[in-house]
Amino acid sequence: MPKYSLIVPVYNRPEEVEELLQSLVTQKFKDFEVLIVEDGSSNKADGVAQSFQNQLNLKYHFKENEGQGFARNYGFERAEGEYFIVLDSDCIIPSSYLSSIDEYLARNDIDAFGGPDTDDSSFTIVQRTINLTMTSLLTTGGIRGNKLNVSDYHPRSFNMGFKREVYEATGGYIIPFMGEDIEFSVRLLKMGFTTALIPEAVVIHKRRTSLIKFFKQMRYFGRARINLSRFHKGQIKITFLFPSVFTFGFLLTLALLLLNHTLGYVGLTLYGFYFFLILLNGLITARSLSVAFLAPFVALLQLSGYGLGLVYEWIRKLKGINPNAKYIDLY
């Protein structure tokens, strides 16, 4: 029986799976298995998985398309490890990843854990800029995967692990998409399980390759936050409203400028200063002029996408539209 079972849901991304598996071959810690769960893909990764059979303890499964949450459940049901680790297919895993986790767990008895994500020198300018805004304290990204307060840390499924007992008690994911990993984290904390961030358990997370895809992803994240509130009270905090306030304030500023109103110039000054700080942060953090000058535009896409998605799903919730109805009786 392996100590760790790595579960990776896949949908039409064989190239990413190859990079992920290649990185897992280099792991210093070897007591693990890998479960690739193909979620109804038309562009399958079975050939890629076959090419690594002699290098990894690897199991490939194909199932009908239901969504990434249920694809992970499919893997959990077939995993043999003491711990389950969930990774996204677009991650590259440093060679010290599993050894860092194993060393941490040897010193600390925790039930669930997660780690941060970072960029790589191979990333495009767009990917590097997206990574910057996703992890910056100047945007909502500052709370993602970098929280040292273990009392209420919520692991995310791009880099999440937990004991087998956690899966057996929770039953895994109860919805297949739209915040399924956050819901799972909130639920396991409510059940009394302990969580922690392992700073050394970092993964290289490949970002969206186009700004349009990034905007759509952020819109989805905003919708997911509202969807989470259908399951758990108190999940819409003031900080999550910032992108919506930012977005509609920006639109109002543009409208006032068209009317040549004084408040429009005040708003322009405030937003200009904010974008300047993001640009400056890009220069200091990424040390790249290209990343720095693109960063304000990417931040605008991030905040407006999230903000519009949150408002859109909030309206749907008020109308009684429930995207989870076919999966679970919420009430």
Side-chain angles (χ1 to χ4, degrees), residues 155-223:
R156 301 293 184 90
S157 57
F158 67 88
N159 184 5
M160 170 194 287
F162 46 88
K163 293 179 178 177
R164 172 180 288 274
E165 290 84 351
V166 173
Y167 166 65
E168 293 172 347
T170 61
Y173 297 93
I174 59 176
I175 51 174
F177 48 70
M178 205 182 296
E180 77 288 342
D181 57 337
I182 312 175
E183 190 286 321
F184 177 69
S185 289
V186 172
R187 183 157 39 93
L188 68 87
L189 280 166
K190 284 185 174 181
M191 294 177 69
F193 290 112
T194 56
T195 64
L197 170 71
I198 304 178
E200 297 79 15
V202 63
V203 299
I204 298 168
H205 200 181
K206 299 182 73 174
R207 303 298 184 181
R208 292 296 185 265
T209 55
S210 79
L211 295 179
I212 293 176
K213 290 180 180 179
F214 176 62
F215 177 81
K216 290 180 178 179
Q217 181 187 45
M218 291 301 101
R219 184 174 179 271
Y220 179 85
F221 285 175
R223 294 184 62 193

Side-chain angles (χ1 to χ4, degrees), residues 35-263:
L35 291 88
I36 300 295
V37 183
E38 192 93 61
D39 191 34
S41 303
S42 56
N43 187 13
K44 299 180 183 179
D46 52 346
V48 172
Q50 181 64 36
S51 68
F52 283 88
Q53 289 291 345
N54 295 329
Q55 302 177 71
L56 294 167
N57 180 4
L58 176 62
K59 300 172 184 175
Y60 172 86
H61 299 279
F62 183 90
K63 61 180 291 296
E64 65 176 292
N65 179 257
E66 292 181 291
Q68 57 190 10
F70 289 173
R72 296 183 188 113
N73 284 349
Y74 190 95
F76 298 155
E77 293 168 3
R78 291 156 179 79
E80 299 180 357
E82 300 174 40
Y83 289 86
F84 297 165
I85 295 178
V86 178
L87 298 168
D88 280 355
S89 63
D90 59 352
C91 287
I92 299 173
I93 316 302
S95 60
S96 61
Y97 174 78
L98 282 175
S99 57
S100 295
I101 290 174
D102 198 62
E103 290 169 8
Y104 184 92
L105 295 179
R107 301 190 307 269
N108 304 275
D109 183 20
I110 56 170
D111 301 310
F113 54 88
D117 54 353
T118 188
D119 62 359
D120 184 72
S121 59
S122 65
F123 281 18
T124 66
I125 294 298
V126 170
Q127 287 176 313
R128 290 177 62 193
T129 309
I130 288 175
N131 183 76
L132 175 70
T133 61
M134 288 286 283
T135 56
S136 173
L137 289 172
L138 293 173
T139 68
T140 59
I143 62 173
R144 175 187 169 90
N146 295 294
K147 190 174 182 180
L148 294 176
N149 181 5
V150 301
S151 63
D152 60 351
Y153 173 69
H154 295 78
R156 301 293 184 90
S157 57
F158 67 88
N159 184 5
M160 170 194 287
F162 46 88
K163 293 179 178 177
R164 172 180 288 274
E165 290 84 351
V166 173
Y167 166 65
E168 293 172 347
T170 61
Y173 297 93
I174 59 176
I175 51 174
F177 48 70
M178 205 182 296
E180 77 288 342
D181 57 337
I182 312 175
E183 190 286 321
F184 177 69
S185 289
V186 172
R187 183 157 39 93
L188 68 87
L189 280 166
K190 284 185 174 181
M191 294 177 69
F193 290 112
T194 56
T195 64
L197 170 71
I198 304 178
E200 297 79 15
V202 63
V203 299
I204 298 168
H205 200 181
K206 299 182 73 174
R207 303 298 184 181
R208 292 296 185 265
T209 55
S210 79
L211 295 179
I212 293 176
K213 290 180 180 179
F214 176 62
F215 177 81
K216 290 180 178 179
Q217 181 187 45
M218 291 301 101
R219 184 174 179 271
Y220 179 85
F221 285 175
R223 294 184 62 193
R225 176 53 56 178
I226 296 298
N227 196 38
L228 180 62
S229 71
R230 292 184 171 104
F231 294 87
H232 306 284
K233 294 181 179 179
Q235 294 302 311
I236 308 299
K237 301 177 182 178
I238 294 295
T239 52
F240 296 117
L241 300 179
F242 168 69
S244 298
V245 174
F246 173 93
T247 301
F248 289 104
F250 185 77
L251 293 174
L252 178 61
T253 295
L254 294 180
L256 291 172
L257 285 172
L258 289 174
L259 296 173
N260 200 30
H261 196 285
T262 304
L263 289 179

Side-chain angles (χ1 to χ4, degrees), residues 129 132-133 135-139 242 246 268-288 291-297 299-300 303:
T129 309
L132 175 70
T133 61
T135 56
S136 173
L137 289 172
L138 293 173
T139 68
F242 168 69
F246 173 93
L268 180 64
T269 301
L270 294 175
Y271 278 96
F273 179 68
Y274 175 72
F275 288 134
F276 172 74
L277 290 179
I278 291 177
L279 184 151
L280 188 61
N281 179 61
L283 281 173
I284 296 172
T285 304
R287 298 180 181 179
S288 166
V291 170
F293 281 102
L294 186 58
F297 181 65
L300 177 61
L303 294 170

Side-chain angles (χ1 to χ4, degrees), residues 265-327:
Y265 295 99
V266 173
L268 180 64
T269 301
L270 294 175
Y271 278 96
F273 179 68
Y274 175 72
F275 288 134
F276 172 74
L277 290 179
I278 291 177
L279 184 151
L280 188 61
N281 179 61
L283 281 173
I284 296 172
T285 304
R287 298 180 181 179
S288 166
L289 282 173
S290 299
V291 170
F293 281 102
L294 186 58
F297 181 65
V298 173
L300 177 61
L301 291 179
Q302 179 189 9
L303 294 170
S304 61
Y306 190 102
L308 292 173
L310 188 144
V311 171
Y312 171 78
E313 195 61 35
W314 204 331
I315 293 173
R316 280 165 49 90
K317 181 181 177 182
L318 291 175
K319 289 183 176 180
I321 301 173
N322 192 335
N324 313 285
K326 65 181 292 186
Y327 302 108

